[in-house]
Amino acid sequence: MTSNANPKYLWWQTGVVYQIYPRSYMDANGDGIGDLPGITQRLDYIKDLGVEAVWLSPMYPSPMHDFGYDVADYCDVNPTFGTLADFDVLLAEVHKRGMKLMLDLVPNHTSSEHPWFLESRSSRDNPKRDWYIWRDPAPDGGVPNNWLSHFGGPAWTFDEKTGQYYLHQFVKQQPDLNYRNLEVVEAMRDVMRFWLDKGVDGFRVDVIGLMMKDEQFRDEPISPNWDGRTPFGKLDHIYTANLPEVHDLIRGMRKVLDSYDDRMMVGETYLPNDMLMVYYGTPEQRECHLPFNFQLILAPWDAAKVRKMVDDYEAVLPADAWPNWVLGNHDQHRLSTRIGAHQARVANMLLLTLRGTPTCYYGDEIGMQDVPIPAHMIQDPPAVNMPEIAHIVGRDPERTPMQWNALPNAGFSAPDAKEAWLPLAANYTEVNVEQESSNPYSFLSYFKKLMALRKSSPALTVGSYRSLELGSPKAQASCFVYERQAEGQRMLVALNFSAREQKIGLSLPGSGKLVLSTRLDREGDVQFADLTLRPNEGCVIAL
Ligand code: GLC
Ligand code: CA
C-alpha cells in the first residue's frame, strides 16, 4: 500500500523525509536518553507535520564511541533505545499511519566490539582476519601509509597481539570492513535482508563512497586546496574515497533492494555534481535512488550563488535521476544558527519548493538552534580528539534534546527524569512544540502550512523547475525567483535573501495569487510588475 497522492511517482519522490536522532528525540523511560518507545509516542506529531518517511539514525547495539555509528550488532536494538519488540511496534505504528520507516545502514565500518572484529583481531590466521583491513607496519615500525582519520590522527591503529595495523577512517573503535572479501559483501547483504524482511522501507547508507580503498595502499597526495581548517583536509582523498570499484558494490546493494517491493536507498555523499551523479548509476545499472545532495548545507547564503547552484544541479541531473535537497543533519551546525532565524524561514521555503525530495532534520521545524556545549560536557569524538577546533568539528550542538514543551526537561523526559545526555537549549521555554502550536505565526505553524501547500500542489511536488531573471541588478543579487509547473498548474516562488525590502519587478503580465508568505500575514492578488518582497520574506504565488 502506498499513501502516495500521485500514482505516477513513488513515495520517496513526492514525500518529505524527516531525520530523527534517536538519542535526542523523546525519552520514554526517564534515563535522559531518547528511545524507540519515545519515538512511537510522538508519531502523531510527525504525521501531523505532513512527513512521508522517518529516517532513524543508528539504534543498534553499540558501545557509543561514535554515538551508534560504531555498530556492534547489525540485527538488534541497543538496550538503551529499547528492544527488537519495541522496534517492531514502532515500525507497525509508522505503517499504520501511512508513513515509511528508513534505517541508517553503516556498512563501511563496525564497532571494534563487533564479534566479527573480535574474531578478526584474535589471530592472523582466524578465518575472519581478512574481513577487516590489516597491514604490516612500515619498515620503521610506523603506520603503513599516510592515510588519516576523519576524526583526527592517523587512520591506522597498531594491534600489539598480532603485530599489524588495522584501518579505521573514523575513531579507532570503528575498524573498516574489507569489501574486497566477498564474504563481507554477502554478510552486509544479509543485514539488509534482515530489515527488509521485517518491512523496513529503505536505508540511508553511511559514508557510502568510502567502502572501497586503494588495493595498493598508496599514500594520498597533499591537497592543493587545503584551507587549514581541519587536519583531515590536508590530503586529497583519492585512495580512500569514491574509488571506481565502490560502484560495483553499490549496484549489488541496489539489487538486494530491488528484489523487494517499493524500497529505497539514499547514500551519504558530500560531492561536487560530476562525482555525485555517478552514484545514481545508469538505467541499466542502478545505484542509489538518491545520492544526498548537501549543497544547501555547504552553500554561502547568497541569492545569486544559490540560484546558480540549483540551476547547475538541475542542468547536469540525468533525465531519469530524481533530485533531492537537504538543509541540515546530525553532522552539521543547525540551519537557524548558520543563516539566522529569519532566513531559516526562507531556506525552508526553498527546501520545500525546489524540485526533488526534501530531507528535514528533527527540530528544524521549530527553528531549533545550536546549543553551546560547555567544555566539560563535550562528548562527540572529533571535538574530544581535537579540542582546539571543537567549535568547527564538534557535533553535539546540533544533537541536543528535542524541545516539546516548557516544563523541566522540555518534555523530552518527564520533569523528574535524569538530566538529559546533552544540555537543553537555554530558550526552550519559548522555542518548543507546545508553545509554537498555540501561536499561528510561529515557525512551526509556518512549517506546517508550507508542508501542506507542497503536498496539495502538483507543481510543487512534481513540477518542472525554471529560474527567472529579475528586473533590476539589485533584486537579481538579493532575490531568487523560480517557477514550478505541472498538470496545468504554475507556481512562482520568490525568495528575498536580504534584510532589505526588494522590488522584484517581474516581466510577467497581470497578477497572481499569493498563497503563502514566510510571515503568514498576507495572501491574495499581487501585480507582477510591482511585486515587492519585505526583508527576509519568501512568497509562493499561484499563477
Ligand atoms: C557519517 C555519519 C557521522 C558518523 C560517520 C562515521 O558521516 O553521518 O555521524 O560519525 O559517518 O560513521
Ligand atoms: Ca530513555
Side-chain angles (χ1 to χ4, degrees), residues 180-199:
R180 296 190 188 272
N181 180 318
L182 296 180
E183 288 173 15
V184 175
V185 173
E186 205 37 57
M188 198 49 66
R189 291 183 187 169
D190 284 343
V191 169
M192 295 175 74
R193 290 185 197 106
F194 174 83
W195 295 106
L196 294 168
D197 286 341
K198 273 191 175 295

Side-chain angles (χ1 to χ4, degrees), residues 250-252 254 258 280-288 320:
I250 300 173
R251 282 176 214 133
R254 173 65 182 257
D258 284 349
Y280 280 103
T282 62
E284 296 75 38
Q285 295 196 299
R286 300 217 180 263
E287 297 187 24
C288 297
D320 62 330

Side-chain angles (χ1 to χ4, degrees), residues 27-35 80:
D27 171 22
N29 67 353
D31 65 355
I33 301 175
D35 43 53
T80 306

Side-chain angles (χ1 to χ4, degrees), residues 361-486:
Y361 185 49
Y362 88 91
D364 278 0
E365 75 274 21
I366 56 170
M368 272 175 71
Q369 294 184 315
D370 274 7
V371 176
I373 311 289
H376 71 280
M377 292 182 83
I378 292 178
Q379 306 189 38
D380 186 33
V384 172
N385 295 347
M386 301 179 277
E388 5 30 276
I389 52 168
H391 59 290
I392 300 175
V393 295
R395 301 167 299 177
D396 296 320
E398 63 264 23
R399 297 176 174 181
T400 60
M402 178 68 176
Q403 297 152 206
W404 296 101
N405 61 36
L407 295 172
N409 293 324
F412 166 72
S413 302
D416 58 351
K418 240 181 108 182
E419 195 185 350
W421 77 286
L422 280 176
L424 290 167
N427 64 358
Y428 84 84
T429 52
E430 291 108 60
V431 179
N432 66 60
V433 170
E434 202 174 288
Q435 198 77 20
E436 294 192 25
S437 299
S438 64
N439 173 359
Y441 298 101
S442 69
F443 205 104
L444 181 59
S445 298
Y446 161 67
F447 184 83
K448 282 164 92 167
K449 285 223 162 96
L450 183 57
M451 291 281 280
L453 174 63
R454 177 192 156 83
K455 206 172 211 162
S456 69
S457 159
L460 294 181
T461 31
V462 300
S464 60
Y465 159 89
R466 177 174 76 98
S467 66
L468 302 186
E469 296 301 321
L470 306 182
S472 76
K474 196 164 141 265
Q476 188 79 32
S478 309
C479 300
F480 177 22
V481 182
Y482 50 94
E483 191 191 301
R484 305 284 316 278
Q485 189 171 343

Side-chain angles (χ1 to χ4, degrees), residues 58 60 68-71 74 104-110 188 204 206:
Y60 314 102
Y69 284 92
D70 47 330
V71 179
Y74 286 103
D104 214 311
L105 185 70
V106 190
N108 179 67
H109 42 266
T110 68
M188 198 49 66
R204 173 267 190 190
D206 192 65

